[in-house]
Amino acid sequence: MIRLLCTGCLLSMFAASPSLADEAQWIWSEKEPTPGQRVVLAQEFESGDCRVARLSVVADYCNVSVKLNGEDVATIEDFAPPWHGDVKSLLVEGKNEITIEAEAAHGPSAVAVSLRMQAEDGAQRSIVSDASWSAAKASGEVAWVRWSDPSRDAAIDPFDDYTQWKQALGTSDGADPSKFLVPPGYEIELVRSAQEDEGSWISLEFDPQGRLLVGREDRGILRMTIPPAGDEQKTVQVESINDTLEEVRGLLWAYDSLFVSANTSQALYRLRDTSRDDQFDKIDRLYQAEGGSGHGRNDITLGPDGRIYAIFGDSVDLPKKASDRTSPGAEHRRGQRTKEGHVVRLDPDGANPTLFAAGLRNPFGIAFHPEHDIAFTYDADAEYDMGSSWYRPTRIVQLTDGGDYGWRGVTRSWPPYFPDRADAAPPLLDIGKGSPTSVQFGAKSNFPPRYRDALFVLDWAYGRILAVHMTPRGSGFAARAETFAKGRPFNVTDLDFGPDGAMYVVTGGRKTLSAVYRLRYVGDDERPGDVALPTEHQRAVAAFASESRELRQSVESLHAPQRSADKAVHAAWPLLGRRDPWLRYAARTAIEHQPVDAWQARALSESQPLAAATAMVALVRCGDDSAKREVLDRLCELPLSAFSSTEQLLAIQAAQLGLDEIDTLKQPTRDRLRQRLEPLYPANSDVLNQRLSWLLARLDSPLLVPKTLELLRTTNEQAQRLHYLFVLRDREQGWTPALRRTYFEYLTQMRHFRGGEGMPTFVERIEQDALAALEPSQRPPFEQLLDSSRDPVEQTPLEERPLVNKWKADQLLPELAASDHRPDFDRGAAMFTAAQCARCHRVGTRGGVLGPDLTAIGRRFPRRDILLSILQPSRVVDDAYRRVQVVTTNGRVVAGQVIPSQDYRSPTLTIAPQPHELVEIPKSDIESYTVSPVSVMPEGLLDTLERQEILDLLAWLEAGGDRRHPNYRQ
């Protein structure tokens, strides 16, 4: 049975838009946007004492720089996701000003802004973009799909149970659907459970008579005649129509035939009824797919071109006898054996097999957009890499002609492999943790328009159906996801829409009990007058998107050697400088299909930054060693410091590929390249810092160690910390004894890192490599330090201190402005322990891990806010650190802070009622939970400290425990 969520969770689960006090408008200047046009949009506003200030900015077809009171806040490139950030520290009492400096790109340029503020008394206020902004013209409200924060969409929380599917083992009936969560206005019912001899079910499809065809996990296909909803007098009639095909993962009815993707049978088949007796008497094997069967032969669909599209996981071999739309620069085209999921296109009779796209991990489903002739899938993650910078989450992928999405079947490789490379086709939307199965658009449903236009995707592990909402953006889409339905156990394997417009979902897999559910809309559908007419901006975006898709499809037609290579290059080249990532990728792939000598000189002489960086990637992928050396020489000449983040990532990728494939590179070229890259590091982008640190390590930069250790000191994100520790593990240059000691102290923190099955191995290998880089005589003290970090943490007894004062904010705030206070570093560090902060929080290498890492708190918040957060812990509480109360199925009640598991697949939930007191609860036993607005951090922590000791603690926290901070300069 699924847990009962608190009211707040239910409301947020089906929220249609962010909670803006007023809806923001798209704005631009009065002039029609043209590429390169620059505009300045500004708004002044009054602000008082503020507790929370969250700024959101979204840009369409423009590059944007955001300033608040003259301070740089964010730089947002065209086609980047919405930007969300905390800007409270930049607000002042009285007059404030937001300034947007924007440069138009190709398309209907516009920008939208929302600043949501909460005062100390709880009152909320929003400043949004509209026609009142200086030099602004408004062109309509911003759709919620564009506003949503992708990091919060459809996220898995610690209460979600990865092992919920196991509850379907050994049962005799499907789960009770009355306990499932569905949106208001929808009903879900159990249609039929599998009988003992019917196996587990993994695919479904409706035939022309409206009967449900169900593929079995063991072998064969069932056919079900399902009575209409509400007809309780009739039962579901079931018959077997095939008992030979093994593990039927995909079913498709087309051309008076049933096409079947049978995984264990290792082929795609066509079944026909030639005798007209309603049975399939003819079975033809259309396509033999060699390879393994784990991530195997999955779903099939009919394309708008009338051909069959079959999708495969990375256990299946790439086809050897097929035309290939992917780039000749891909590894498999150059003789390397790779493991990568892919899509094969065939004629209905199996002729003309074509490798349409590759570079996927284990995509199970495939579906075409009903209006735009674009295919989509939901690709799997590499659970083993969870928690690392090379982990790639489950994601929605827009499958384009010749697309290569970067995966190479490299789990457990060392050094690790980064699938998300700048030369890979862009994903559409990251989802996060999950176990993808089928996908299907809601066009055939009788659902309201919001869901008829959505792509429904299934998450088998967590028992949920997600609705992915899309809006056109260039030649692709912008997308956001929400949880549509959820159950336990609800190990969903496939879905389709029946003739009645209802959604039919089948559960099964891994020999679990299967069932078919029907999900119907029974609410009041929107009347025509209730559907909002498109805004001015939406109309402009739709028209531009249509042009962009046609342009992309025209250049995709060049994804093969052309009779006139010069004409193909001439047609594709102008698109190398377009910000639209799908358009730019298609153009580069078209050029890579042509002989290198037809475009090498043009690539090396290109001066437009984005086109030049993209051309460098193409040439280093397809050229010979001489061309690769010329690319590296050219990169040494380009003004990389003036490049945008996208342009820099492409240039870094070109350099990385060149270094990977050239055995020997002359030292002068290495030095010039290093000197060109060093000023870029560190950057204002986590991804850029990952790629730059990796490349500078390859180039033996002496600046890498001190710069990366500074990033380690100020970065709270675990994946980033692990990445920097990995990059520095075997460096030989740039160390001092103090820096080496600092590095190994940071290594000791890795034992607290959370992740998938691979995390312990990552930690062990980084430690081993770091020790191996030392001379044997240098190792003993660091070995001892690492060994001690593996021992259980012993709680240091708290010092008994008398009550000094029940401190209030008004007693201490005036002291913060005192200029005569000279903070004592050692006393501030001692107060970190005396005030019990170290029991839960970490600064640098000292303290606990139950609460947020405070090392970089001084960079994010002024000392006043740090003080108020200690005095009033519940003033602003991060969702991850709220107190929860859990009720189990046997009535047990446990309250405390949820502690994330080391392994996200853990079937137990860990709660800390008190620091260092842990209680484990099986997730399957959780009946309900509620989230409290009260922080788990107690009040009164400063009451045993003298005034001077409090000031020393605040100065020490602001400095991040670093003696080099200006707080301690005399």
Side-chain angles (χ1 to χ4, degrees):
M1 180 173 64
I2 191 169
R3 66 179 182 275
L4 302 176
L5 299 177
C6 61
T7 303
C9 295
L10 282 169
L11 292 176
S12 64
M13 181 172 172
F14 303 115
S17 65
S19 56
L20 301 176
D22 298 294
E23 290 296 334
Q25 301 274 319
W26 290 108
I27 58 173
W28 196 254
S29 70
E30 294 291 339
K31 300 178 181 179
E32 287 291 327
T34 56
Q37 177 194 11
R38 295 179 180 272
V39 302
V40 178
L41 309 163
Q43 179 68 289
E44 291 186 347
F45 62 96
E46 296 286 330
S47 175
D49 198 8
C50 188
R51 178 186 300 179
V52 176
R54 183 170 174 81
L55 181 66
S56 299
V57 183
V58 58
D60 248 10
Y61 309 105
C62 57
N63 300 309
V64 171
S65 174
V66 184
K67 295 180 184 292
L68 181 55
N69 294 329
E71 297 289 336
D72 291 330
V73 174
T75 299
I76 307 165
E77 292 189 39
D78 192 17
F79 283 88
W83 183 89
H84 305 273
D86 184 341
V87 295
K88 180 189 177 304
S89 62
L90 297 179
L91 292 179
V92 297
E93 290 196 34
K95 184 178 292 185
N96 294 260
E97 183 178 44
I98 301 175
T99 305
I100 302 293
E101 298 176 359
E103 179 184 11
H106 290 88
S109 306
V111 64
V113 181
S114 169
L115 173 61
R116 285 167 281 169
M117 298 175 287
Q118 184 182 52
E120 290 292 348
D121 63 1
Q124 298 189 18
R125 180 187 176 204
S126 293
I127 305 297
V128 297
S129 52
D130 56 28
S132 70
W133 285 49
S134 65
K137 174 187 175 184
S139 57
E141 292 183 355
V142 184
W144 77 273
V145 176
R146 297 302 313 279
W147 268 125
S148 181
D149 185 346
S151 66
R152 299 172 183 264
D153 292 345
I156 292 297
D157 65 38
F159 292 87
D160 287 300
D161 187 2
Y162 181 86
T163 62
Q164 60 83 31
W165 62 272
K166 292 185 178 179
Q167 297 176 44
L169 289 169
T171 59
S172 58
D173 204 0
D176 181 1
S178 67
K179 303 299 183 182
F180 290 4
L181 295 175
V182 296
Y186 289 81
E187 287 183 355
I188 186 169
E189 61 179 308
L190 174 62
V191 174
R192 190 180 186 278
S193 299
Q195 303 302 303
E196 186 174 352
D197 60 345
E198 291 177 345
S200 193
W201 304 338
I202 55 175
S203 60
L204 54 79
E205 169 83 331
F206 280 94
D207 70 9
Q209 288 75 43
R211 297 171 297 188
L212 187 63
L213 308 176
V214 179
R216 293 175 51 166
E217 184 180 35
D218 47 11
R219 68 174 64 219
I221 303 168
L222 303 176
R223 184 163 61 195
M224 299 183 184
T225 303
I226 300 175
D231 188 346
E232 299 179 357
Q233 302 301 315
K234 295 182 179 180
T235 60
V236 178
Q237 302 298 315
V238 181
E239 57 183 316
S240 175
I241 57 173
N242 178 272
D243 59 5
T244 60
L245 299 179
E246 298 181 353
E247 196 179 357
V248 177
R249 290 190 180 182
L251 293 169
L252 168 67
W253 188 276
Y255 300 106
D256 293 324
S257 306
L258 181 63
F259 294 85
V260 180
S261 176
N263 182 42
T264 308
S265 297
Q266 297 194 331
L268 173 66
Y269 296 88
R270 182 176 184 175
L271 280 60
R272 284 179 284 181
D273 175 14
T274 61
S275 59
R276 304 299 181 186
D277 61 355
D278 206 22
Q279 298 295 318
F280 295 109
D281 57 302
K282 184 172 178 55
I283 301 178
D284 296 313
R285 185 171 61 189
L286 302 184
Y287 177 76
Q288 184 75 32
E290 304 292 344
S293 59
H295 296 175
R297 298 140 203 88
N298 297 326
D299 206 0
I300 47 179
T301 193
L302 183 67
D305 56 2
R307 287 181 277 188
I308 309 298
Y309 288 74
I311 198 161
F312 304 93
D314 63 7
S315 296
V316 178
D317 297 341
L318 291 170
K320 296 181 176 64
K321 297 180 180 179
S323 59
D324 196 336
R325 307 293 291 178
T326 65
S327 167
E331 291 93 330
H332 75 270
R333 297 287 297 272
R334 294 184 288 138
Q336 299 180 29
R337 180 176 174 81
T338 62
K339 296 179 62 178
E340 47 189 304
H342 54 281
V343 178
V344 173
R345 181 176 64 197
L346 312 101
D347 291 343
D349 60 359
N352 300 314
T354 300
L355 180 60
F356 179 76
L360 301 161
R361 185 173 188 261
N362 187 29
F364 197 94
I366 180 171
F368 276 88
H369 194 288
E371 297 179 5
H372 300 303
D373 297 350
I374 300 174
F376 295 87
T377 189
Y378 181 24
D379 199 11
D381 59 350
E383 304 99 325
Y384 184 86
D385 296 335
M386 182 74 69
S388 70
S389 60
W390 49 91
Y391 166 71
R392 184 166 80 176
T394 70
R395 55 181 39 170
I396 307 301
V397 175
Q398 175 178 320
L399 296 166
T400 55
D401 185 298
D404 177 355
Y405 300 89
W407 179 257
R408 295 295 184 266
V410 288
T411 299
R412 301 175 188 266
S413 65
W414 195 262
Y417 175 83
F418 290 84
D420 288 338
R421 308 181 339 184
D423 60 331
L428 182 66
L429 175 67
D430 285 347
I431 296 294
K433 304 170 188 173
S435 183
T437 49
S438 185
V439 304
Q440 190 67 255
F441 278 96
K444 296 188 296 182
S445 74
N446 62 1
F447 294 175
R450 169 182 169 85
Y451 291 111
R452 280 203 299 273
D453 295 337
L455 174 68
F456 292 94
V457 305
L458 303 185
D459 179 355
W460 181 84
Y462 288 105
R464 57 184 185 155
I465 304 172
L466 305 179
V468 180
H469 304 274
M470 302 183 191
T471 186
R473 196 177 191 193
S475 65
F477 293 85
R480 294 293 176 264
E482 64 167 326
T483 299
F484 176 76
K486 198 171 188 178
R488 192 171 71 183
F490 197 41
N491 42 317
V492 284
T493 54
D494 203 356
L495 84 160
D496 199 3
F497 292 92
D500 57 355
M503 175 189 287
Y504 288 79
V505 183
V506 65
T507 62
R510 297 193 185 179
K511 300 182 179 180
T512 56
L513 175 77
S514 288
V516 173
Y517 297 88
R518 175 165 47 201
L519 203 157
R520 298 185 299 133
Y521 180 71
V522 295
D524 295 327
D525 201 348
E526 290 99 328
R527 296 178 297 276
D530 294 334
V531 180
L533 295 174
T535 65
E536 176 185 343
H537 185 68
Q538 287 173 330
R539 290 194 298 271
V541 165
F544 182 73
S546 178
E547 296 173 4
S548 298
R549 285 192 297 272
E550 290 180 6
L551 186 57
R552 177 177 53 76
Q553 290 166 352
S554 69
V555 78
E556 286 174 348
S557 69
L558 304 176
H559 288 178
Q562 300 297 303
R563 181 172 300 177
S564 174
D566 289 341
K567 287 184 178 180
V569 171
H570 179 75
W573 200 271
L575 305 181
L576 294 182
R578 293 287 283 269
R579 291 284 171 180
D580 183 328
W582 296 282
L583 196 56
R584 190 172 65 248
Y585 179 87
R588 198 198 79 220
T589 304
I591 289 168
E592 291 178 353
H593 271 281
Q594 313 314 314
V596 174
D597 58 10
W599 51 272
Q600 177 171 328
R602 188 170 183 178
L604 293 170
S605 62
E606 177 62 58
S607 59
Q608 197 272 344
L610 186 54
T614 307
M616 294 297 99
V617 169
L619 186 53
V620 81
R621 282 165 53 86
C622 297
D624 57 19
D625 282 357
S626 175
K628 292 178 175 64
R629 289 189 174 89
E630 289 192 76
V631 167
L632 295 175
D633 286 334
R634 176 61 174 154
L635 289 172
C636 296
E637 300 170 356
L638 293 173
L640 300 182
S641 296
F643 279 22
S644 69
S645 293
T646 298
E647 292 157 0
Q648 289 178 354
L649 281 171
L650 285 163
I652 292 167
Q653 182 67 34
Q656 184 76 54
L657 291 171
L659 290 173
D660 286 346
E661 299 200 12
I662 298 176
D663 294 333
T664 58
L665 186 65
K666 293 181 179 179
Q667 192 61 41
T669 302
R670 292 176 60 90
D671 290 342
R672 289 174 60 210
L673 184 59
R674 172 179 55 78
Q675 291 164 5
R676 183 66 72 175
L677 294 171
E678 283 175 338
L680 308 181
Y681 184 67
N684 292 322
S685 159
D686 287 347
V687 174
L688 265 175
N689 283 332
Q690 288 177 16
R691 302 302 184 261
L692 279 167
S693 60
W694 181 284
L695 189 53
L696 289 172
R698 293 282 304 276
L699 295 169
D700 297 320
S701 170
L703 302 180
L704 178 67
V705 170
K707 286 187 173 186
T708 306
L709 284 175
E710 178 62 17
L711 283 172
L712 264 170
R713 189 182 72 83
T714 58
T715 298
N716 288 331
E717 175 63 38
Q718 174 188 295
Q720 286 293 102
R721 296 169 78 91
L722 182 71
H723 180 88
Y724 298 140
L725 292 170
F726 163 75
V727 166
L728 294 180
R729 75 197 190 285
D730 55 358
R731 294 301 91 204
E732 297 180 356
Q733 299 184 42
W735 297 102
T736 66
L739 292 177
R740 184 77 76 176
R741 175 75 184 184
T742 298
Y743 173 75
F744 273 89
E745 288 175 346
Y746 280 122
L747 281 185
T748 65
Q749 297 179 19
M750 290 194 299
R751 64 186 177 87
H752 302 297
F753 287 178
R754 297 185 296 271
E757 182 185 350
M759 186 57 66
T761 301
F762 303 154
V763 171
E764 181 182 1
R765 285 182 168 177
I766 290 172
E767 290 181 353
Q768 289 175 347
D769 288 351
L771 289 170
L774 300 173
E775 295 294 332
S777 60
Q778 298 175 316
R779 295 173 189 168
F782 298 116
E783 290 173 333
Q784 183 178 2
L785 179 64
L786 294 175
D787 286 342
S788 64
S789 73
R790 299 187 186 97
D791 297 332
V793 177
E794 294 184 9
Q795 181 61 33
T796 304
L798 293 175
E799 176 187 357
E800 291 292 337
R801 295 174 60 93
L803 176 69
V804 173
N805 185 26
K806 290 188 175 295
W807 293 106
K808 303 296 182 184
D810 57 2
Q811 297 173 296
L812 294 170
L813 287 175
E815 300 286 342
L816 300 184
S819 59
D820 59 346
H821 173 240
R822 290 184 174 274
D824 185 311
F825 181 90
D826 292 327
R827 185 162 56 192
M831 293 306 103
F832 182 64
T833 299
Q836 304 184 43
C837 305
R839 290 170 66 87
C840 298
H841 298 281
R842 178 174 291 271
V843 172
T845 59
R846 60 183 298 174
V849 294
L850 294 180
D853 190 311
L854 304 181
T855 304
I857 192 172
R859 291 175 175 243
R860 300 178 57 207
F861 302 104
R863 199 180 300 184
R864 174 185 181 277
D865 282 358
I866 298 174
L867 173 61
L868 290 176
S869 294
I870 301 174
L871 292 173
Q872 305 166 16
S874 298
R875 176 173 172 265
V876 179
V877 186
D878 188 291
D879 290 343
Y881 300 102
R882 293 184 183 274
R883 190 175 185 84
V884 301
Q885 179 173 289
V886 175
V887 179
T888 67
T889 51
N890 62 5
R892 183 187 181 193
V893 178
V894 182
Q897 178 187 339
V898 174
I899 307 302
S901 172
Q902 292 288 340
D903 185 348
Y904 79 101
R905 295 177 293 183
S906 173
T908 62
L909 180 75
T910 302
I911 292 181
Q914 300 292 334
H916 301 283
E917 177 189 348
L918 303 179
V919 176
E920 290 193 350
I921 304 172
K923 292 179 181 178
S924 59
D925 290 349
I926 297 175
E927 175 72 20
S928 66
Y929 74 91
T930 55
V931 181
S932 170
V934 177
S935 172
V936 295
M937 178 175 165
E939 296 183 350
L941 295 178
L942 300 181
D943 292 351
T944 63
L945 274 60
E946 300 286 349
R947 188 184 306 266
Q948 189 67 34
E949 292 174 328
I950 294 172
L951 295 178
D952 288 335
L953 171 61
L954 292 173
W956 188 83
L957 289 172
E958 186 179 49
D962 186 355
R963 289 184 184 273
R964 298 169 297 174
H965 192 273
N967 284 353
Y968 302 106
R969 293 177 186 169
Q970 300 299 321

